[in-house]
Structures are given as structure tokens and as C-alpha cells.
Amino acid sequence: MRQYIVAGNWKMNGNEALLIAVREALAGVETKAEVVIIPPYVYLPSATQHFRDTNLVVGAQNVSKHEEGAFTGEISGLMLRDTGCQYVLVGHSERRTMYGETNEIVANKFVAAQRVGITPILCVGETFSERGAGKTMAVIEASLEAVRAQVGIRGFGKAVLAYEPIWAIGTGVAATPEMAQAIHADIRKWVAKYDEGIAKNLQILYGGSVAPLNAQALFSMPDIDGGLVGGASLKPDGFAEIVAQAK
Ligand code: 13P
């Protein structure tokens, strides 16, 4: 059985007080999910502190492909590990579209995370026009293939995937559970071509306007193993409701 993961990607939002509010809101919530909080870099050490005696774990939003050196403004996997970080997002669509991250750069970051024992959460997804043109799986497969080229299919055995259709991010219009399920199943099939065992165990999260009202329907789909939540993760009570839907 694959365990659910519900991850809150704060993006460039939140503060110290929100870490505490989230901890309070989630205390005592019953869930089958591992809950991952992904705040901006500067809050990682205090997130680890605040979550010390809880089941909450901490993730980062980005990582350098380098281990150390003259890379002003970058943060390495080793540094993330020092903060107690267990996960890192790689290839979020905002990084791809606003900061020019190509499939190859994303694959390098995936490698950098695994090198230090941090689990990458690889984000993939199509734009509205790519979907319209019937290119959804081609776009996703190109992202997956770039990673496979570097780490082989075995690399997917120590990673999490997140399907985030770009048209659903921050729009309030989530993919329907059926639409998301279809893509999740296709992603799993792509992995199964190379290794059925890895495909069966691979956690694939859905992201894009996940909210308290749609989480249960999404999470009940057979190939949806939880959610990557943006805006709704900034409201502690609503986020706790989403977490409680993973059952
Ligand atoms: P929203 O939940 O705000 O649509 O954001 C999704 C996302 O990008 C999570 O990484």
C-alpha cells in the first residue's frame, strides 16, 4: 500500500506565526497521510524546531544542483539536510516558467537531492494549450525521460511525483478527479514500462487548486496518492481539513 502524502507548498508566503498556527491546527487531526510543510528557505530551521514533537515533516521549494562553491544566492542539498529537510520540490511550474528551469536543469536538481538523501518531489504538468493540442502526456514524458536519462528508472524508487496541470494552479479550477486519475494512471504506466515494482510503489500527488471541498474526491482515486497544496495550505484550518480527507 502506498502511503498518502499531503504537502503544503507555501511558495513565497507565510512567516514564523504561520508555522505555529499550522502546528496547532494539525494537532490531533486523524489522517493516513504523511504531512509535509514546504515553507520558504529561511523558515526551514525554525519549522524543524516547531515540528519536533509532531508528525509533520519539512520540505524545501528548490535546491541547487551544486554541492558548494561560488553560486551566490543558491542553497545546496547538504545545507537543506542540515536544516532537517526531508523533501524538496524540483521542477515546480513556477520555477520552469519564471526562472527558466529546463527539464535538464530539473533533472540535475533531482540528482542533487538524492545524492544527499533528500527525497525529490518532481513536479510535471501541461499548460492549457498543450492539453488542448493533445500533448499532455508528451510534455510529461519529456520531463520524466530527462530524469530517467540521469538516474535510470531506479531513481524513481526514491522519489515522489506531483502532477500539477499548470492551468489548475492558483486558478480555483482543479482538474476533475477523473481527469487527474487518467493522467496519474498514464504516468504510472510509463514507469511500469521500465519497472512494475517501482511503478506500483510510486506516490503520485495531485496539485492545482486542491481545497477542502475537492480533496476527498481527488484522494479517493486509485492512482492519486495525496496532494500538493498551494494557496489552501496557507489557511491552517482548511489545510487541516484537507489533511483529514486522506483516509
Ligand atoms: P494552488 O493549490 O494554489 O493551486 O497551487 C498548487 C501548487 O502550485 C502547489 O505546488
Side-chain angles (χ1 to χ4, degrees), residues 14-210:
N15 51 32
E16 193 81 22
L18 187 61
L19 288 172
I20 296 166
V22 165
R23 183 189 65 197
E24 303 302 312
L26 287 171
V29 169
E30 276 192 40
T31 182
K32 290 224 171 96
E34 177 175 48
V35 181
V36 187
I37 304 297
I38 310 180
Y41 279 144
V42 293
Y43 297 113
L44 292 173
S46 48
T48 307
Q49 283 295 316
H50 288 304
F51 300 161
R52 207 175 22 199
D53 298 316
T54 72
N55 295 326
L56 302 173
V57 303
V58 176
Q61 298 176 15
N62 187 19
V63 63
S64 170
K65 69 175 183 178
H66 302 287
E67 277 178 14
E68 62 179 359
F71 304 104
T72 301
E74 293 289 288
I75 304 281
S76 76
L78 283 174
M79 294 167 186
L80 293 182
R81 205 176 63 186
D82 270 349
T83 70
C85 204
Q86 297 181 33
Y87 290 94
V88 64
L89 299 178
V90 296
H92 191 280
S93 67
E94 286 150 21
R95 303 282 332 158
R96 293 177 188 268
T97 57
M98 292 188 261
Y99 301 99
E101 293 193 9
T102 61
N103 281 332
E104 197 191 351
I105 292 171
V106 172
N108 291 334
K109 294 182 173 203
F110 184 105
V111 173
Q114 286 191 334
R115 200 162 50 213
V116 297
I118 294 178
T119 303
I121 301 175
L122 172 65
C123 305
V124 297
E126 82 287 6
T127 62
F128 189 73
S129 64
E130 286 163 346
R131 173 165 281 263
K135 290 189 183 148
T136 298
M137 271 319 286
V139 169
I140 292 172
E141 284 178 14
S143 299
L144 299 174
E145 192 53 54
V147 169
R148 195 181 72 90
Q150 293 208 28
V151 293
I153 203 67
R154 287 180 149 267
F156 289 83
K158 284 174 267 134
V160 173
L161 297 189
Y163 169 54
E164 296 208 301
I166 295 168
W167 47 269
I169 295 177
T171 59
V173 183
T176 65
E178 293 74 21
M179 280 163 99
Q181 163 59 28
I183 302 300
H184 283 230
D186 281 348
I187 291 172
R188 203 177 300 286
K189 252 185 246 156
W190 181 88
V191 178
K193 269 196 318 197
Y194 302 100
D195 191 309
E196 288 188 8
I198 289 174
K200 194 159 155 268
N201 291 320
L202 183 63
Q203 292 155 300
I204 309 176
L205 315 183
Y206 168 79
S209 297
V210 175

Side-chain angles (χ1 to χ4, degrees), residues 219-237:
F219 297 171
S220 65
M221 290 288 153
D223 288 291
I224 299 183
D225 305 308
L228 180 54
V229 186
S233 73
L234 301 172
K235 301 191 185 100
D237 291 336

